[in-house]
């Protein structure tokens, strides 16, 4: 059985309107690679310092699918909006 793959992101959105374009554009990649969202911009508390104003955990059936999604043409198109609208920390990890 494969271990799941995850995208973890702590983002500081500077341009909400442009970031909305990212959300609209990333839907194609996430549908194609079967992404699920255990966490997507809900309430948060950052007791140890700033972590951004948007927090996301995206789940994929495997680490390889998570990597494939990131490098897909669909996501690379969408990521241009995210990078222009925000800064933050983003990592792709294999689950336990």
């Amino acid at each position: 059985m494969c271990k799941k793959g995850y995208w973890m992101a702590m983002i500081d959105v500077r341009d909400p309107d442009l970031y909305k374009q990212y959300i609209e554009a990333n839907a194609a990649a996430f549908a194609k690679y079967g992404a699920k969202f255990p966490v997507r911009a809900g309430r948060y508390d950052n007791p140890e310092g700033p972590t951004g104003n948007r927090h996301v955990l995206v789940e994929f059936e495997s680490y390889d699918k998570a990597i494939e999604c990131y490098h897909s043409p669909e996501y690379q198109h969408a990521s241009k909006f995210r990078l222009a609208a925000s800064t933050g920390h983003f990592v792709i990890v294999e689950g336990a």
Side-chain angles (χ1 to χ4, degrees):
M1 179 188 243
C2 288
K3 293 181 180 181
K4 292 186 178 186
Y6 296 90
W7 292 8
M8 298 187 314
M10 295 184 299
I11 305 296
D12 191 23
V13 177
R14 294 183 316 268
D15 184 337
D17 292 330
L18 188 56
Y19 199 85
K20 286 178 189 175
Q21 291 181 48
Y22 163 67
I23 293 170
E24 292 168 6
N26 70 28
F30 290 151
K32 181 177 178 179
Y33 290 91
K36 297 179 182 176
F37 293 86
V39 176
R40 194 172 199 181
R43 294 186 328 167
Y44 66 92
D45 180 33
N46 44 7
E48 295 188 6
T51 61
N53 56 23
R54 186 171 178 88
H55 307 90
V56 180
L57 178 65
V58 186
E59 179 183 275
F60 296 87
E61 69 181 41
S62 69
Y63 176 77
D64 290 340
K65 284 285 185 198
I67 294 290
E68 288 173 28
C69 183
Y70 181 82
H71 292 290
S72 71
E74 297 89 350
Y75 187 74
Q76 288 302 302
H77 167 72
S79 71
K80 293 174 185 173
F81 296 110
R82 178 178 57 84
L83 294 171
S86 66
T87 57
H89 298 283
F90 180 97
V91 64
I92 301 172
V93 298
E94 184 176 59

